[in-house]
Amino acid sequence: MAKTPEVAEPAKIRLALRGLREILLPRPEEKLSVDAASDASLAVFGPAPQTAAGKRGRDLVAFFQQVQLLEELGEADRKRLAQIAHERTYRDGEYIYEQGRPGVALFLLRSGIVEILRRRDGGDEILLATLEPPASFEELAAMGCDVVRWTSARARGPATVVALGRPDIDVLSRTTPVLANKLLRKLAEVTARRLQLLVEAQFLNRTEQGAKDAADPQSQRP
Amino acid sequence: MPPTRNPSALEVVVKALAVVAGAILGIYLLWRVRGLVVPVVVGGLLAYICGPLVAGLERYRITRGQAIGLLLLVFASAALGLASLIRAGAPTEIEVLDLKTRALRKVNDRYLRLMGLDSSPGGNRIYRLVHEDAALVMDRANRLLGMTPEERAKFARSHAGRNGRPTGPADAALLDDDRSNLETLERRGLAAADSERPETPRSEVPASPGTRERTPLRLLAGILSTWIVAPTVFFFLLRDTGEIKRSFMRLVPNRLFEPMLAVLEDLDRALGSYLRGVFLECCLLALALALLFAVLGIPVLWAVALAVVAGATNVIPYVGSAVALLLGLAYIVLAETVHPLLPMVTAENVALWLVGGILLVELLKNILIEPVVLGSAAKLHPLVVVLGVLGGGILFGLPGVLLAIPTITIVSAFASSASTQLKAYGLA
């Protein structure tokens, strides 16, 4: 087992965003575990697809067609992407990446189950979400420089992931800029949509709950 | 989380021994096939340099195979064109004899002027100081540039008419040079010694047992059998679309996967910066040398040609300026006349101006060009450069000299990046 890595400080990353003066969204109370089906984790990692787990692409190009991130790409583009993809196999309990370490690749889950974990200050890990094929995760590592992982990913049972490294996507920008542009646009769209869903899940649901409480006949004034 | 088992001491020792044995075996095998290392590296470097060209052609909807074929066609045409230019410009046998005669006359005249022997039989202070060593050098130069009796006969036939008189003023000048050279040879006691030395026919020289005579054909076969690897490596590396990298990454353990991706990215950046920097540095040096040669009176075409050759040899540190100096001096010695553009530069002192100008260009290169162009891409300590170049030359000859600095750059970048990434991932 690898030694416990030092915990990164994602808050530093958030406060380093230019133009972001203040986050008005109240932080949720910390709980010992978060239900994987809760709104927040669904917003971050997307819903577990109902039918994708059953579909196993015979090859990498067919698998890419199932991935939401790459569904708009044509077959030639998927073939080009397959040339730079790395397929990795992990044992049960093996970490795919660890919290606090630099990230240089995004991952697409091809088979098996992956747990997304967050290590607390005390050292214990809480489960944020479980993913199944064809989920994608850690898209930010493929786009930005100096990305530090804010979670860990661990295989539950044997798992196979397909990794797209940031250096390979940079090379793609020079050799096939149109494909790289499509990919990066999609990555940005997915990242932005997740942030929107996270805000909706955290803020708007509380507002709706507050409105419901206010509309409760028992609390209304005559 | 399942509990992990700490490896026993025996397992650790066995693993360590296996790694050491594997490393020793790898080094031994590499040493045995060291003749192939340089062609493989050359082919790989050329593929790396040409990769962006192929990628650029692919953007115009040309397939990779077609792009590589087009590139090879361009290279072959350029090589054939260069070969025909060289063949067209190569001097004939009589032209070579003319050059040797003219060069030997000029070398002897300049030696006499430098040593003060033209004005006083005892020479000047320089002569009294170095005449013994200088005499050995001059004897060697005279032997090298002097003509054999057969060559002299051909020379005389081509420049003197049937009556033995020169057919034109140029022929007269050459015959005069030849007469002067003969006098110098007799004065130095070389002519008699050379004519008395018997020529040993090659066939009578007994070959030592167990050795094979190195004929040109055997030499060519030996070179081709080794260097055929270079174009093969070049072709297959260019054709590769990522399979080689993927195959290599499959061998990397999972916990080293992302660090290795980062290290390869750093290596790519370091090598690319180095190659771009060196190419730019060679171009700028060639430009500066071309201007210098032109100002000193060398015709523009010759100035550009000499500067391009000197600039190309600048891939080996410090060699570019040395080659420029040799080529410039050789031209000044061999040329009939030079017409400097500056009034203070004359035919008598042009060599000194050449030396000064090249020193200035070298200084500009070190102070201005290198820091700006190379930056921190391949900033190596001068001692490392000198030792690396010498070591490469001892191990692999000329290709080793050429590849020493890129090799040191890659190894240095790998060590630095690996150390950083292993620390960042908590593995060191």
Side-chain angles (χ1 to χ4, degrees), chain A residues 26-201:
Chain A
R27 294 190 70 165
E29 294 173 6
E30 286 211 50
K31 300 174 187 173
L32 285 177
S33 69
V34 176
D35 186 359
S38 73
D39 292 339
S41 66
L42 277 176
V44 173
F45 298 105
Q50 302 299 317
T51 57
K55 287 183 186 173
R56 295 282 163 91
R58 269 194 291 272
D59 61 2
L60 213 49
V61 177
F63 165 67
F64 284 162
Q65 203 168 9
Q66 304 166 20
V67 179
Q68 186 186 8
L69 195 61
L70 311 174
E71 61 191 0
E72 291 176 9
L73 298 181
E75 183 161 351
D77 288 340
R78 289 198 299 274
K79 276 183 183 169
R80 185 67 189 94
L81 219 53
Q83 290 170 354
I84 64 168
H86 304 276
E87 202 160 343
R88 312 293 301 185
T89 305
Y90 295 84
R91 302 185 307 271
D92 178 37
E94 192 175 2
Y95 280 86
I96 295 161
Y97 60 81
E98 293 185 40
Q99 181 177 330
R101 300 300 175 204
V104 292
L106 76 90
F107 299 97
L108 313 171
L109 181 55
R110 188 162 181 191
S111 70
I113 301 286
V114 165
E115 297 173 331
I116 306 296
L117 308 154
R118 169 98 177 126
R119 185 173 291 111
R120 301 175 70 203
D121 291 344
D124 53 321
E125 287 179 326
I126 54 170
L127 181 65
L128 294 184
T130 52
L131 307 178
E132 63 175 20
S136 63
F137 50 106
E138 286 300 302
E139 291 86 355
L140 197 61
M143 289 196 293
C145 296
D146 301 329
V147 166
V148 177
R149 309 278 195 197
W150 64 285
T151 56
S152 302
R154 189 176 63 199
R156 188 202 291 173
T160 304
V161 299
V162 176
L164 291 172
R166 188 188 62 226
D168 299 312
I169 296 175
D170 288 344
V171 171
L172 211 63
S173 305
R174 293 194 296 270
T175 57
T176 42
V178 174
L179 168 58
N181 191 26
K182 286 184 199 171
L183 184 62
L184 290 171
R185 223 176 38 228
K186 195 68 184 176
L187 282 170
E189 179 190 322
V190 164
T191 309
R193 188 166 297 179
R194 284 184 181 168
L195 179 63
Q196 180 188 349
L197 289 173
L198 180 65
V199 168
E200 285 176 357

Side-chain angles (χ1 to χ4, degrees), chain A residues 1 3 80 82-86 88-90 94-97 101-105 107 125 149 154 163 165-168 170-171 174-175 177, chain B residues 1-2 4 55 58-59 64 241-243 245-246 249-255 257-259 261-262 265 268-269 421 423-428:
Chain A
M1 170 71 87
K3 61 179 180 181
R80 185 67 189 94
Q83 290 170 354
I84 64 168
H86 304 276
R88 312 293 301 185
T89 305
Y90 295 84
E94 192 175 2
Y95 280 86
I96 295 161
Y97 60 81
R101 300 300 175 204
V104 292
F107 299 97
E125 287 179 326
R149 309 278 195 197
R154 189 176 63 199
R166 188 188 62 226
D168 299 312
D170 288 344
V171 171
R174 293 194 296 270
T175 57
Chain B
M1 202 178 301
T4 55
E58 277 186 296
R59 265 187 253 165
R64 197 166 189 89
T241 51
E243 181 56 42
K245 184 177 178 181
R246 284 205 308 281
M249 292 303 288
R250 276 189 214 115
L251 303 174
V252 174
N254 284 332
R255 66 195 186 113
F257 171 67
E258 281 193 286
L261 276 185
E265 183 185 20
D268 182 43
R269 196 179 301 128
Q421 296 304 327
K423 280 183 195 150
Y425 283 88
L427 298 169

Side-chain angles (χ1 to χ4, degrees), chain B residues 100 104 137-147 151 185 190 194:
Chain B
K100 282 170 77 171
L104 185 56
V137 172
M138 287 309 294
D139 285 347
R140 196 172 172 80
N142 275 274
R143 281 206 181 93
L144 196 67
L145 294 173
M147 287 189 280
E151 287 174 341
L185 283 172
L190 295 173
D194 278 343

Side-chain angles (χ1 to χ4, degrees), chain B residues 61-240:
Chain B
R61 300 186 185 276
I62 298 174
T63 66
R64 197 166 189 89
Q66 288 168 349
I68 295 171
L70 194 63
L71 199 67
L72 289 174
L73 191 65
V74 167
F75 281 167
S77 307
L80 280 172
L82 194 64
S84 1
L85 266 176
I86 290 171
R87 222 167 78 175
T92 61
E93 190 184 352
I94 295 297
E95 284 169 347
V96 169
L97 294 177
D98 292 348
L99 273 172
K100 282 170 77 171
T101 304
R102 204 162 44 234
L104 185 56
R105 173 78 187 268
K106 284 198 173 183
V107 164
N108 286 326
D109 284 350
R110 284 179 199 272
Y111 174 75
L112 289 175
R113 273 201 296 275
L114 186 66
M115 297 295 166
L117 290 168
D118 52 345
S119 50
S120 152
N124 57 19
R125 201 172 292 178
I126 299 173
Y127 177 74
R128 285 194 286 278
L129 196 62
V130 302
H131 73 274
E132 285 181 9
D133 295 321
L136 286 172
V137 172
M138 287 309 294
D139 285 347
R140 196 172 172 80
N142 275 274
R143 281 206 181 93
L144 196 67
L145 294 173
M147 287 189 280
T148 63
E150 293 80 17
E151 287 174 341
R152 183 159 283 109
K154 274 185 203 167
F155 178 81
R157 270 199 304 275
S158 73
H159 293 297
R162 286 187 183 183
N163 54 3
R165 291 180 181 278
T167 51
D171 296 319
L174 281 165
L175 288 171
D176 185 52
D177 288 343
D178 184 47
R179 258 195 302 278
S180 169
N181 291 340
L182 272 174
E183 284 168 12
T184 306
L185 283 172
E186 281 169 13
R187 199 169 49 242
R188 303 190 73 87
L190 295 173
D194 278 343
S195 65
E196 285 171 2
R197 192 185 327 133
E199 275 195 32
T200 310
R202 242 184 113 175
S203 57
E204 292 183 11
V205 174
S208 53
T211 60
R212 296 169 63 186
E213 195 179 335
R214 289 179 67 83
T215 62
L217 199 59
R218 281 215 173 93
L219 200 65
L220 188 65
I223 292 171
L224 276 178
S225 65
T226 308
W227 279 88
I228 195 70
V229 170
T232 312
V233 167
F234 171 75
F235 174 74
F236 281 104
L237 282 182
L238 265 188
R239 215 168 138 257
D240 174 63

